[in-house]
Amino acid sequence: SSFLIQVVTIFPEYLAPLRQSLLGKAAERGLVDIAVHDLRAWTDDVHRTVDDAPYGGGPGMVMRPEPWARALEEVRPPGTRLVVPTPAGRPFTQAMAAEWAAEPGLVFACGRYEGIDQRVADWAAEAGPVSEVSIGDYVLAGGESAVLVMVEAVTRLLPGVVGNRESVEFDSHADGLLEGPSYTRPASWRGHDVPPVLLSGDHAAIARWRREQSLRRTAARRPDLLLRLPEGALTEAERQL
Ligand SMILES: Nc1ccccc1-c1cnco1
């Protein structure tokens, strides 16, 4: 059966890319179903108002709870996880993507302005899991871009979506380290040569070199990942690098 993704947003056209490329083919093959809904369909005033001033004062506007509750009551199957992108959320991780890909589907609530009235997430938690997540420490105008990111991360893990399972398993972060550099033809290009070991055919040496490149790159770019490695993940020699 297909994985059902639903997105509620005030900018439905922003989610149009979800129907392209990888997601498009997966959708055509019935592996995933995507439905985008305009939140304003659930407003009841002539101006289709979705936001209002924040209680307690402060800058910006807050999205009103009632349109959200009406939308979610209609589109969210009972028990389906509600994902709310927010800069104040828990960091989105590959582990979350894998966990969510094993569920029947997801509903995404895209907040604009200074966020959605908190009572929506509290109320929604009565009907199923709610995940308030951030995709990184930068300020966006709304959750739509975050939804594109998370939908891509989750759908590529669905069975049958990515042809070569190996490329799914051996992605970056699979062994907790960053992938090292990759090369393809030509061997010599504009004065830049491919590291000779990769042309040597010595597979043990190649594996050693790749591991060292991963460790060096991780130490340089993501030292935080090294701290998170399980005991014994690095040999004594590797720790010296
Ligand atoms: N900045 C934002 C504004 C609105 C909705 C989500 C975000 C977000 C999500 N991850 C990082 O930022």
Side-chain angles (χ1 to χ4, degrees), residues 3-6 72 75-83 100 103-108 124-131:
F3 189 87
L4 177 57
I5 293 171
Q6 303 198 72
L72 295 176
V75 310
R76 184 191 185 197
T80 301
R81 181 180 302 274
L82 176 68
V83 179
W100 299 356
E103 297 172 356
L106 295 168
V107 176
F108 289 91
E126 297 163 8
V130 177
S131 300

Side-chain angles (χ1 to χ4, degrees), residues 2 8 23 28 32 35-36 38 44 64 73 76 89 91 108 119 121 125 142-143 172 183 220 231 235 238:
S2 72
V8 182
L23 299 177
E28 278 162 31
V32 62
V36 179
D38 184 342
D44 52 9
R64 298 166 57 227
E73 272 175 341
R76 184 191 185 197
F108 289 91
R119 291 169 293 180
S172 270
Y183 305 88
E231 274 300 300
T235 65
E238 288 178 333

Side-chain angles (χ1 to χ4, degrees), residues 8-151:
V8 182
T9 168
I10 58 170
F11 293 115
E13 68 283 0
Y14 194 99
L15 281 299
L18 285 182
R19 288 175 180 66
Q20 314 306 321
S21 72
L22 171 78
L23 299 177
K25 287 200 177 35
E28 278 162 31
R29 290 164 47 203
L31 297 170
V32 62
D33 253 339
I34 296 171
V36 179
H37 308 280
D38 184 342
L39 176 68
R40 294 190 196 275
W42 287 279
T43 56
D44 52 9
D45 62 309
V46 70
H47 298 294
R48 297 161 71 86
T49 312
V50 293
D51 63 321
D52 198 346
Y55 275 119
M61 301 287 270
V62 174
M63 299 189 95
R64 298 166 57 227
E66 187 55 20
W68 277 108
R70 291 181 189 156
L72 295 176
E73 272 175 341
E74 184 167 329
V75 310
R76 184 191 185 197
T80 301
R81 181 180 302 274
L82 176 68
V83 179
V84 186
T86 167
R90 293 172 187 273
F92 177 65
T93 61
Q94 190 67 16
M96 282 182 189
E99 180 186 352
W100 299 356
E103 297 172 356
L106 295 168
V107 176
F108 289 91
C110 294
R112 308 293 295 188
Y113 314 106
E114 267 51 51
I116 303 171
D117 186 302
Q118 187 59 45
R119 291 169 293 180
V120 174
D122 300 344
W123 165 83
E126 297 163 8
V130 177
S131 300
E132 295 185 65
V133 291
S134 165
I135 61 164
D137 294 336
Y138 31 75
V139 180
L140 306 171
E144 285 77 9
S145 314
V147 169
L148 291 176
V149 165
M150 291 189 276
V151 165

Side-chain angles (χ1 to χ4, degrees), residues 94-95 156-157 166-182 214 217-218 221-222 225:
Q94 190 67 16
R156 66 185 294 279
L157 297 179
E166 177 144 334
S167 72
V168 174
E169 250 87 48
F170 294 94
D171 286 348
S172 270
H173 302 217
D175 61 356
L177 299 176
L178 299 182
E179 287 298 300
S182 299
S214 267
R217 175 174 280 188
T218 307
R221 298 179 179 179
R222 291 293 307 278
L225 290 179

